[in-house]
Structure formats: C-alpha cells, structure tokens
Amino acid sequence: MPTDTPMQVGMFGVGRMGANLVRRLLRDGHHCIVFDVNADAVAALEADGATGATSIDDFVAKLDTPRVVWMMLPAGIVQETIDELSTLLAPGDILVDGGNSYYRDDIVRAKALATKQISYVDCGTSGGVWGLERGYCLMIGGESGPVRHLDPIFKTIAPGAASAEPTPGRTRSDGTAPDGYLHCGPSGAGHFVKMVHNGIEYAMMAGIAEGLDIIAHADAGLHPPDADTETAPLVDAWAYPYEIDIAEVAELWRRASVVSSWLVDLTADALARSPKLEEFAGRVSDSGEGRWTVNAAVDVGVPAAAITAALYERFASRGKGQLTGKVLSAMRSEFGGHAEKKA
C-alpha cells in the first residue's frame, strides 16, 4: 500500500544496502533520484522506477527543494562527499548519513553544516542484505525538526510493528520504537547506538561460533593428543566421546531455544549449505564499530569484557598475534629449553 505522504529522496551510493533502500522506498510510492560511481547500479534502479543521475551536479539539480540527500557510503569517503555536496546544497536542505560513521564525526559535521543552514541527520541502519523484505532497524540522531520531516521515509524503510510480537510488559502507547525506528537524541546519538549495536553483534557472533567449536571438538577423547612434554594431557578422555553434527545443533537451536535468534538462523543456513565451511579461511574483519564501542566503554568506565574479547578475537583471526606467539615460544625456549612443537 503506497504511503499517503510520498516524498522525494536522493540516494547517494546505491551498493547492496543503498539499492535495497531505494527499492523499498519505491515500493511505498516515494520518488528516488539515485547516483553512484557504478553506472550499472544506477541503471538497475532506473529499471525499477528510480531516476538516475550521471554526476553529482546532475544529482543535486534533479532534486526538489528542500532537498533530502541520503548517503549510503563507506565511512572513509563520507567527509569528502559531504565537502562536495555542501557546496551544491542550499539552506533548508537535509543531509542524511545512513552508513556506519563514527558518532564523534557526526557532531563535528552537524556543527559545520549548521553554519550553512543545512541540517544533518545520522541514521544507523541495520538489516543487511535481507532488509529489502524484512525492513531496516533505524537508529536516528539529529535535530527534532528535520527528523520529523523525514518521518514518512523512516516509516517506509523500517520493518513496522508487525515484524515482532508486542512486548508483554510495555505500557507506553507512544513512540516509534515498536515500528523499528527511533530518534535517539541529538547529532551523533543515532550512530552511537548503532556503534554499540554492532559491538554487541561482535560478542553475540563470537559466542555462537565459540560454542559450536566446543561442540565440534567434543570428540577429543576419540583422538587423544600426542603424549609429549610439550602437550598438556587430556584429562578424563572418556568424558569426550561425542561426534556431534553442529549443523544439526544449529538447526535445533532455532526452535524454542533461549539462544534462538536471527544470527542462529543464518548460521544454520550457512552450515546446511556448507557443513565444513571450507570456502572460508576464518579471517574475520572489523569495520570500526567494535573498536569505537570498546573505546567508549573505556571512556565512561563501563566494563565490556565480552565485546572487547570478541574484538581481540577478530584481530587474532587475521594473524595479528603472530609476533606475540613467536615471542612466547622464544621465551619458553630461553628459560626452559622448550623446543617449539611444529604444527
């Protein structure tokens, strides 16, 4: 059902996330002007009903005033894009950063754009490649006026109240959180909440992965380790005789388990398609939000041991601790004459 208040939106950056945001907006009757350095991505959206732009100047020229420009870009190129766009925008225009920028940058950017009377809204966007159908959870920061102006856009992009069962203990009848979007506070608040959201995601992902790894090694008693001075013996080998199919465990946990979640759903699907996950090397990237979350925890004095450990685990997965291991082996060799056991 098309929205009763269609708006025009300019989407700057139409990769996987940006393109699906546009498609969701188009489905609900909004009008989208799109630009990306990838002309094929623009053409694909034109086929869906969007209006394409061939340059930044063309993009801005096709937008009605007051303009709404939504950027969906990697954090590293947001500032240079703002610098270019701000020379073309006019007082009253609204610039939205829907990516994963650092919330401190939002505070600085909002102040700088305010001198040109351009409003800046930061919008943490969660939903991944599934968001086209499921909707996107939106965490929003900025001044109240521009945020209210954008409400029809947020309402379309968000999943809606029907996406989850009502919270039994909730007595509030106001607010947009049940619809899947929330004005969290002034500039930076949206990306701050999204930052911590992603930090939590690190810890949840690590917990699921580590748990399944422990289960996968529950057959250790069937394959006792080498008996040598460099290997700790397996105590009570008889207690670990289990050859358990972790793909089936993940499938099981999807149903009425306390740990059931979308992350478990996705894990079960991945294991169903590839039980040994042989196409992955186990090198896990981090795009910044986990680091920023840990930094914030240190700044405000909140213990965040699980998130910090999950972040460090990602570093280790990329071989960042190799020198540490070498130094440890060298010290064992020096003080005890322990020869390094080869893999």
Side-chain angles (χ1 to χ4, degrees):
M1 178 70 68
T3 179
D4 293 332
T5 53
M7 294 183 64
Q8 186 196 63
V9 185
M11 186 64 68
F12 194 112
V14 288
R16 288 173 297 181
M17 288 278 282
N20 281 345
L21 287 172
V22 169
R23 292 187 176 101
R24 196 164 172 88
L25 288 163
L26 291 171
R27 287 181 182 180
D28 208 27
H30 297 286
H31 310 292
C32 296
I33 313 297
V34 299
F35 174 72
D36 195 281
V37 293
N38 181 351
D40 290 339
V42 172
L45 289 171
E46 285 180 312
D48 289 334
T51 299
T54 57
S55 67
I56 296 181
D57 292 275
D58 182 41
F59 173 72
V60 173
K62 286 179 175 175
L63 290 168
D64 300 331
T65 55
R67 303 174 184 87
V68 174
V69 175
W70 186 303
M71 298 179 297
M72 212 65 195
L73 300 168
I77 63 172
V78 168
Q79 187 58 56
E80 64 187 70
T81 304
I82 290 175
D83 291 342
E84 189 165 5
L85 279 170
S86 63
T87 64
L88 302 172
L89 299 178
D93 291 346
I94 301 173
L95 188 57
V96 182
D97 180 3
N100 282 327
S101 292
Y102 192 21
Y103 80 96
R104 294 188 179 201
D105 293 335
D106 295 322
I107 298 171
V108 174
R109 289 164 181 165
K111 288 180 178 178
L113 288 168
T115 65
K116 300 182 179 183
Q117 299 178 35
I118 298 170
S119 296
Y120 179 85
V121 173
D122 52 284
C123 183
T125 309
S126 181
V129 296
W130 299 86
L132 176 60
E133 301 302 331
R134 289 168 54 100
Y136 297 87
C137 179
L138 305 177
M139 294 145 269
I140 305 157
E143 294 180 359
S144 296
V147 171
R148 281 195 301 270
H149 180 77
L150 297 170
D151 191 76
I153 295 172
F154 297 141
K155 190 180 294 291
T156 289
I157 293 171
S163 62
E165 292 294 325
T167 300
R170 183 179 173 88
T171 57
R172 289 184 57 173
S173 58
D174 63 334
T176 60
D179 293 308
Y181 66 104
L182 178 67
H183 183 197
C184 301
S187 295
H191 277 151
F192 187 90
V193 174
K194 177 58 162 51
M195 172 188 81
V196 178
H197 165 283
N198 283 20
I200 293 169
E201 184 181 290
Y202 281 30
M204 291 176 67
M205 291 170 68
I208 294 167
E210 290 171 5
L212 290 174
D213 202 7
I214 293 168
I215 292 172
H217 285 84
D219 64 347
L222 304 177
H223 313 284
D226 296 336
D228 58 56
T229 58
E230 298 303 311
T231 305
L234 176 63
V235 179
D236 297 334
W238 57 266
Y240 301 97
Y242 308 115
E243 295 179 311
I244 301 171
D245 186 335
I246 61 168
E248 289 298 279
V249 171
E251 185 67 27
L252 170 70
W253 284 352
R254 295 183 62 214
R255 291 164 172 81
S257 162
V258 172
V259 300
S260 62
S261 63
W262 189 42
L263 288 174
V264 171
D265 292 346
L266 297 177
T267 302
D269 187 54
L271 289 168
R273 287 183 282 109
S274 177
K276 295 187 180 299
L277 302 177
E278 292 173 332
E279 67 272 36
F280 298 100
R283 187 183 188 279
V284 188
S285 299
D286 72 288
S287 54
E289 299 88 351
R291 302 184 190 206
W292 302 335
T293 302
V294 171
N295 290 341
V298 172
D299 286 344
V300 300
V302 172
I307 295 173
T308 303
L311 175 65
Y312 286 176
E313 190 172 272
R314 292 192 179 200
F315 295 164
S317 78
R318 304 198 298 269
K320 294 293 186 180
Q322 284 186 346
L323 180 59
T324 302
K326 290 180 179 180
V327 172
L328 288 170
S329 281
M331 286 191 286
R332 292 187 81 246
S333 175
E334 290 295 322
F335 70 67
H338 297 281
E340 184 177 69
K341 185 176 181 179
K342 302 305 179 183

